[in-house]
Amino acid sequence: MLYSSKTPAEKRVALRQALAGPGLVRFPGAFNPLSARLIESKGFEGVYVSGAVISADLGLPDIGLTTLTEVATRAGQIARMTDLPSLVDADTGFGEPLNAARTVQTLEDAGLAGMHLEDQVNPKRCGHLDGKSVVDLDTAVNRIKAAVDARRDANFVVMARTDMRAVEGFAAAVDRAKALVDAGADAVFPEALEGLAEFEAMAEALDVPILANMTEFGKGRLHTQDELRDAGVRMVIYPVTLLRLAMGEAERGLDEIIASGTQEALLDRMQHRRDLYDLIDYEGYSQFDDTVAGFTVTKE
Ligand SMILES: C[C@](O)(C(=O)O)[C@H](CC(=O)O)C(=O)O
Ligand SMILES: [Mg+2]
């Protein structure tokens, strides 16, 4: 009821353990706090909070328009609703190294288990857009160092994302990733790799876990979990998948209401009131005080 039953500290330990394990952990992107509960109920290992989703949710393009306050608020609302660890997209840290330091502390306070920080120039762009550029090595390293030094919970995961692959090629991306690990990154998110062989070579080159971004309609293929695991990938994110599914259904539903004048034909595709109530745990509130939250679901 109300909140997750685990503390942020416990969730950070869980994220560390997940990253250390031999398997592949799966972090779908929650587009709101409620969908984080759905992800948990299905047995996933964690929740991803996507910058692209937070921007899109506000009707904005993913080009560095959102602020630290907006991201920390939304990520905190999501993290608090699940017992799973949540990893948030901290973009470039919202500025330069000093901002990255403030970002890590703000996200710790918001209850996140970890974040990733990328080496794009400000303002950043979605990793699958053309015309990206990356900062020089010193700036990239200093961003990571600042974040690592500023965290107060040693278990808070600071993951380095590098967008170098699309800018200077694979070899440069490996060099950049190694430097970010030397700077203290706990894990690496190599953005926009091309093909499984590159994931395999990247995992091989680094002593820390790597993440694969299985985003749709982007630059890379959608690899299966078996393929990613065999390539040595430790974590996979599906950052925008649930938002795209929900928006696709919303659009088709609106079309149906226009076409037939009723939503009757859509009922089977909707989450039933009963399932929604289960996810929110109405029952728990009702047991706490049935004068406030008592309910019966009448229609089957
Ligand atoms: C992972 C990502 O950074 C995100 O914000 O979710 C995006 C996802 C997307 O735009 O599809 C990315 O840059 O890949
Ligand atoms: Mg992003």
Side-chain angles (χ1 to χ4, degrees):
M1 202 174 52
L2 292 176
Y3 299 106
S4 151
S5 60
K6 297 214 168 97
T7 65
E10 290 170 321
K11 295 181 203 173
R12 288 172 198 147
V13 171
L15 179 55
R16 291 263 161 195
Q17 284 169 348
L19 285 170
L24 177 78
V25 289
R26 305 155 303 166
F27 281 50
F31 61 91
N32 59 15
L34 181 63
S35 62
R37 297 188 78 105
L38 192 59
I39 292 166
E40 178 178 334
S41 77
K42 294 289 176 190
F44 286 88
E45 291 77 24
V47 168
Y48 181 67
V49 185
S50 151
V53 167
I54 293 177
S55 312
D57 194 52
L58 292 167
L60 296 171
D62 184 17
I63 51 172
L65 292 170
T66 51
T67 65
L68 171 59
T69 308
E70 284 172 327
V71 171
T73 301
R74 192 60 167 164
Q77 289 170 339
I78 291 172
R80 169 183 319 130
M81 270 302 150
T82 171
D83 284 344
L84 297 176
S86 301
L87 176 78
V88 62
D89 179 355
D91 288 341
T92 59
F94 303 95
E96 290 312 317
L98 196 54
N99 302 84
R102 181 162 186 253
T103 293
V104 77
Q105 297 197 348
T106 305
L107 294 173
E108 277 182 326
D109 291 346
L112 277 297
M115 67 177 208
H116 63 74
L117 193 60
E118 71 204 32
D119 60 357
Q120 287 200 52
V121 297
N122 278 310
K124 58 87 28 76
R125 312 160 66 90
C126 159
H128 294 261
L129 290 177
D130 297 326
K132 286 189 297 186
S133 29
V134 292
V135 293
D136 61 39
L137 182 61
D138 273 357
T139 310
V141 160
N142 287 336
R143 269 186 202 164
I144 295 294
K145 277 193 176 146
V148 168
D149 290 349
R151 74 179 157 199
R152 292 146 303 169
D153 182 343
N155 284 327
F156 184 89
V157 168
V158 175
M159 180 183 288
R161 160 168 155 173
T162 178
D163 284 69
M164 194 58 121
R165 171 67 184 93
V167 182
E168 286 180 29
F170 183 69
V174 173
D175 289 346
R176 174 61 63 98
K178 283 184 174 164
L180 298 174
V181 172
D182 289 344
D186 299 303
V188 169
F189 171 173
E191 175 68 316
L193 294 190
E194 290 181 15
L196 280 171
E198 290 194 356
F199 279 107
E200 201 163 350
M202 182 65 81
E204 191 64 35
L206 303 177
D207 295 331
V208 299
I210 68 164
L211 173 153
N213 175 14
M214 290 296 107
T215 194
E216 303 85 4
F217 319 117
K219 298 220 182 276
R221 251 195 56 213
L222 298 177
H223 303 293
T224 67
Q225 288 165 12
D226 286 343
E227 287 172 334
L228 293 171
R229 190 181 302 109
D230 291 349
V233 172
R234 196 54 62 71
M235 178 187 284
V236 57
I237 55 170
Y238 304 97
V240 196
T241 308
L242 298 192
L243 179 76
R244 291 192 222 283
L245 285 166
M247 289 300 286
E249 275 295 270
E251 191 178 348
R252 285 185 288 274
L254 293 172
D255 288 341
E256 170 66 25
I257 290 171
I258 290 170
S260 70
T262 166
Q263 73 275 46
E264 198 68 44
L266 298 168
L267 294 179
D268 285 348
R269 302 214 314 247
M270 289 185 184
Q271 182 182 47
H272 196 283
R273 180 187 290 268
R274 188 186 46 235
D275 298 328
L276 174 61
Y277 280 16
D278 276 352
L279 206 51
I280 296 174
D281 188 22
Y282 266 61
E283 186 62 39
Y285 293 85
S286 169
Q287 277 170 18
F288 181 79
D289 184 348
D290 70 356
T291 63
V292 175
F295 68 97
T296 38
V297 176
T298 44
K299 283 190 193 157
E300 269 315 303

